[in-house]
Amino acid sequence: MVVPRIEGQGILQADWDTSAWLDDLPCTEAGTLLQEVRRLVVVSPHPDDEVLGCAGIMQAAVANDIAVCVVSVTDGEACYPDQPLWPAARLRDARRRELAHAMRALGLDATHVLPLGLPDGRVASHEAELAAQLAAQSLPGDLLVAPWVRDAHPDHEAAGRAAQAAARGRGVRALQYPVWAWHWLDPHAATAPWPAAARIPMGPAALARKHQAMQAFATQTGAVDGLDCDPILPDHVTARFRRPYEVLIG
């Protein structure tokens, strides 16, 4: 099997706008998905993944008085290894602040974030440890949402596998969210890449809050001084996450 690579511009949102299989995914309201859920646990490999993939369902949980916990696996400190003005220590501090600002935009705060501080880029080397930590803090009635295990980013895939292992061990429900899959999946494939998935719609107010939360990640969008390279999340990438819905797998 060819391993997809995250390089170049990837698939543009204009192509996703004409994807028949994406348009055919069933719609499920977040409130329906959260029925009988006591706590929503979002596993985020790097600060910004939780907002890109799960801002809508996190807001729905808040609106329904459901507890929310964001497990922030790494601090994303290795995203610009060749930028001398943005060393790992500075990025670690900046991205934690950005995550706090993003949470506030969604009606949450730092008390909803559990930072683990695992090394960015090396989550797979700590996968068993992560699975054990997720299992240890899982509770009956949790809904565990983590990245798709084939997302093509090694940290995302390792976090997804760890979450699945924890969910199986603790008997809690688990779903997955794609992030980098939108960069390389075929929008015009004959069928959807997932046997079960749904679009979770967001209303205008929730969508506006998601957009505000995305803008909090200035180091990733390039809205900072001293960054002498392309940002991780240029406009053509964030366009994939400005849709009025999110996709959850499972």
Side-chain angles (χ1 to χ4, degrees):
M1 182 180 69
V2 176
V3 178
R5 296 175 62 87
I6 303 171
E7 58 186 11
Q9 275 199 330
I11 307 300
L12 299 179
Q13 181 55 34
D15 294 304
W16 287 115
D17 287 338
T18 60
S19 171
W21 67 256
L22 180 57
D23 189 58
D24 286 343
L25 290 182
C27 283
T28 301
E29 294 293 332
T32 301
L33 197 64
L34 291 168
Q35 286 180 354
E36 301 183 6
V37 172
R38 297 180 62 183
R39 184 176 64 155
L40 174 67
V41 179
V42 177
V43 180
S44 175
H46 315 99
D48 70 15
D49 291 320
E50 67 295 303
V51 169
L52 297 176
C54 298
I57 194 170
M58 286 195 288
Q59 292 182 75
V62 172
N64 285 278
D65 294 321
I66 295 169
V68 176
C69 176
V70 173
V71 180
S72 190
V73 178
T74 82
D75 293 318
E77 71 278 4
C79 62
Y80 295 124
D82 300 321
Q83 296 297 301
L85 294 181
W86 286 96
R90 184 183 183 189
L91 277 165
R92 182 179 294 110
D93 292 343
R95 297 196 72 175
R96 285 199 177 196
R97 288 194 301 271
E98 290 170 349
L99 179 55
H101 293 157
M103 291 296 97
R104 286 196 290 273
L106 299 180
L108 300 160
D109 57 38
T111 66
H112 296 91
V113 178
L114 175 62
L116 299 185
L118 294 182
D120 183 16
R122 303 202 304 274
V123 176
S125 299
H126 299 264
E127 188 174 324
E129 174 188 348
L130 176 57
Q133 288 179 302
L134 293 174
Q137 67 97 42
S138 292
L139 300 170
D142 279 356
L143 173 59
L144 188 60
V145 186
W148 184 34
V149 295
R150 289 184 53 204
D151 207 43
H153 189 299
D155 283 352
H156 289 215
E157 296 186 354
R161 291 191 301 265
Q164 286 193 331
R168 286 193 300 268
R170 298 291 287 174
V172 301
R173 187 181 179 193
L175 298 172
Q176 301 175 74
Y177 60 93
V179 175
W180 286 109
W182 302 120
H183 186 88
W184 58 266
L185 281 174
D186 182 358
H188 304 303
T191 59
W194 311 295
R199 292 188 298 168
I200 316 301
M202 285 179 285
L207 186 59
R209 286 189 291 267
K210 176 174 180 173
H211 292 176
Q212 183 182 355
M214 288 165 58
Q215 291 169 1
F217 297 103
T219 60
Q220 305 306 288
T221 63
V224 291
D225 294 330
L227 191 62
D228 188 26
C229 68
D230 292 334
I232 303 295
L233 298 176
D235 286 345
H236 71 269
V237 172
T238 57
R240 303 170 192 147
F241 303 97
R242 294 196 293 268
R243 306 163 176 164
Y245 61 88
E246 294 166 344
V247 172
L248 293 178
I249 306 161

